Amino acid sequence: MESGNSTSTKITDEELPTAGIVKDSSAPEPVIKPVEPPKPAAEDWKNYKSPTTTPQPTNPPKDSSKKGHGGLIGGIVFAVLLGSAGLVFGLLAFLNSLNTEPPTQIVSIDGYYNGNSVEFEETSIAGIVSKVTPAVVSIISSTYTTSYWGYGQSSQSAGTGMIVTEDGYVLTNKHVVEGATDVQIITDSGDTYDNVTIVGLDPLNDVAYLKINGASGLPTITLGDSKSIAVGQPVLAIGNALGAYQNSVTQGIIGGTGRSVAAGDSNGNNIEYLTDMLQTDAAINPGNSGGPLVNAAGEVIGINTAVSTDANGLGFAIPISATKGMLKNITENGKATRAYLGLSYITITSEVAKQYGLSVKQGAYVGTENSRQSAIVSGGPADLAGIKDGDVITKVGSVEVGRAGSISTLVGEYKAGDTIQLTVLRNGAEQKINVTLGAYGADTTTR
């Protein structure tokens, strides 16, 4: 976060931790301090490892030479009859579908198994870098301020971004461009774009969405799935190190998930509380803010955001899944809004489960630390759907809350207006509740 830039974050779907950290800044001399993990009051990611597939038993091959012709003919007849039956049933199903009303569509995002299970090979890193870096850009933000006496002062800061659509939409950190009066984007190939618009700023996260106006045919990154990240998996961090070394590459692993940090500038100002962060030991340097954290399949699984100045190899990235819903809303509907449930919750740990007498050890407890205050926003999506204080939300769709992300991050993968299914425990009984997500207004700015 650069000097001269301020950060203003509104929080509705989460309770913020009280720890203190500092964020990787886009400024020439940003400073970032690690933060003590918060008490188990706010949303907190649990480690998630992709479940392994149980190997199916294999039968030993039979000696086909011992089969008679009768068995062969019988097999052919059976195959013909089976194929005919399948054709008849398929035709009947098609005709029936023509007269069937389409059901209410419930959006489901369960994409679990992807490149997070891939390991680096000795010759693969250079190939991954060559695939990703054409879509990684340097961002130069200019800020002009006027003093009390009327004197003007301009300053510049450098950060990183990544192109997500061929027509020029770019993802970066909010603190890289917030407050900027002018934004310039420089591609890996050396092309410079001055006509850049800040389309939207996420109101609940350190994410900004930019647009290179008039662009077409640009190289793009591939978005991965941060829900299936495993601690220990290899990653690469790419960015404009120190604002001077464009698209520098560092290698490391995922050191942890679900970290909560309080990030600010080098002076300890403009503090912003961030949750569900990915921890990595891949070196993240000043100027790397907004750059991609990439898995071994060349997919972006995080946005590099903060680095600790008090520890070696301790950096933090925002899970990419938290950005997808708002990105879809911007690119498909032209609206810079984020989906939200309209409730407060406490991430369930063993201590929280004991305190509230809960039968589960993970999920989200709908409530606040002030028992006299309702956790449900009156008239909000959760209220309209019938969610109540004291409910425990265990799944969003088929994705487990806590194991694959917090409520805020999992909901961030959907668009406002999507209908999702929540699995809720109420008085010990499980029920499914459909919720149509509302639109949480985001800051939008045009240059």
Side-chain angles (χ1 to χ4, degrees), residues 364-422:
Y365 175 75
V366 180
T368 65
E369 301 218 348
N370 182 354
S371 59
R372 292 172 293 182
Q373 178 181 350
S374 175
I376 308 295
V377 177
S378 179
D383 186 27
L384 296 176
I387 303 293
K388 299 182 181 299
D389 287 292
D391 284 348
V392 174
I393 302 174
T394 59
K395 292 182 181 179
V396 176
S398 63
V399 181
E400 294 184 3
V401 176
R403 182 175 297 277
S406 70
I407 290 289
S408 182
T409 294
L410 296 180
V411 168
E413 198 163 359
Y414 296 89
K415 304 193 309 287
D418 283 346
T419 297
I420 62 174
Q421 186 177 80
L422 302 180

Side-chain angles (χ1 to χ4, degrees), residues 294-307:
V294 181
N295 65 18
E299 302 165 339
V300 177
I301 56 174
I303 302 177
N304 300 325
T305 300
V307 59

Side-chain angles (χ1 to χ4, degrees), residues 65-130:
S65 65
K66 295 181 181 179
K67 253 187 181 177
H69 293 292
L72 176 62
I73 295 173
I76 294 174
V77 172
F78 177 74
V80 171
L81 291 176
L82 187 62
S84 301
L87 180 62
V88 172
F89 283 118
L91 180 59
L92 290 175
F94 172 73
L95 294 175
N96 182 61
S97 68
L98 297 178
N99 299 317
T100 304
E101 289 287 335
T104 301
Q105 183 177 9
I106 298 178
V107 180
S108 177
I109 300 176
D110 301 327
Y112 264 96
Y113 304 108
N114 55 22
N116 291 327
S117 61
V118 177
E119 297 290 333
F120 286 134
E121 297 178 1
E122 292 183 3
T123 59
S124 68
I125 294 180
I128 293 170
V129 172
S130 65

